[in-house]
Amino acid sequence: MNSEELNIAFKDAVERINNHHEPFPADFLLRLYAYYKKATDDYGRPSSKKPIINAFKTNALFQAKNISKEEAKRTYIELVDNYFLYRK
């Protein structure tokens, strides 16, 4: 998959998540959060009003710190594809 195809697939995966209206498991959301932030070069601090949620988000970001932007996109896409494939 070339860079353009990867970007299109990533945007499609993000759209699938944003259009889904049922709740997601918390651990799944944290992984999506970390890979999305890494894939989009968004290194802002977590902004939840609850400190415990910020701590979980910070931990998720820390676990994804050594991967490339492209690898983060690939992993995000895989997570989304697997979720919708095996959720029922």
Side-chain angles (χ1 to χ4, degrees), residues 6-58:
L6 181 61
N7 287 333
I8 291 169
F10 177 70
K11 287 179 184 178
D12 288 345
V14 170
E15 189 173 313
R16 287 174 73 191
I17 292 299
N18 289 336
N19 289 333
H20 187 70
H21 298 293
E22 296 174 24
F24 292 106
D27 63 325
F28 178 72
L29 285 175
L30 285 169
R31 287 183 289 162
L32 286 181
Y33 172 82
Y35 291 120
Y36 179 86
K37 292 287 206 172
K38 188 74 175 187
T40 59
D41 286 329
D42 182 355
Y43 297 108
R45 293 180 153 213
S47 60
S48 175
K49 293 180 182 181
K50 296 183 179 183
I52 189 71
I53 293 174
N54 287 333
F56 281 117
K57 287 180 174 181
T58 300

Side-chain angles (χ1 to χ4, degrees), residues 69-87:
K69 184 176 179 176
E70 291 74 22
E71 185 60 29
K73 287 179 183 180
R74 284 187 197 93
T75 303
Y76 187 99
I77 294 163
E78 285 179 24
L79 285 170
V80 172
D81 287 346
N82 286 335
Y83 178 81
F84 286 110
L85 181 64
Y86 296 113
R87 72 185 172 110

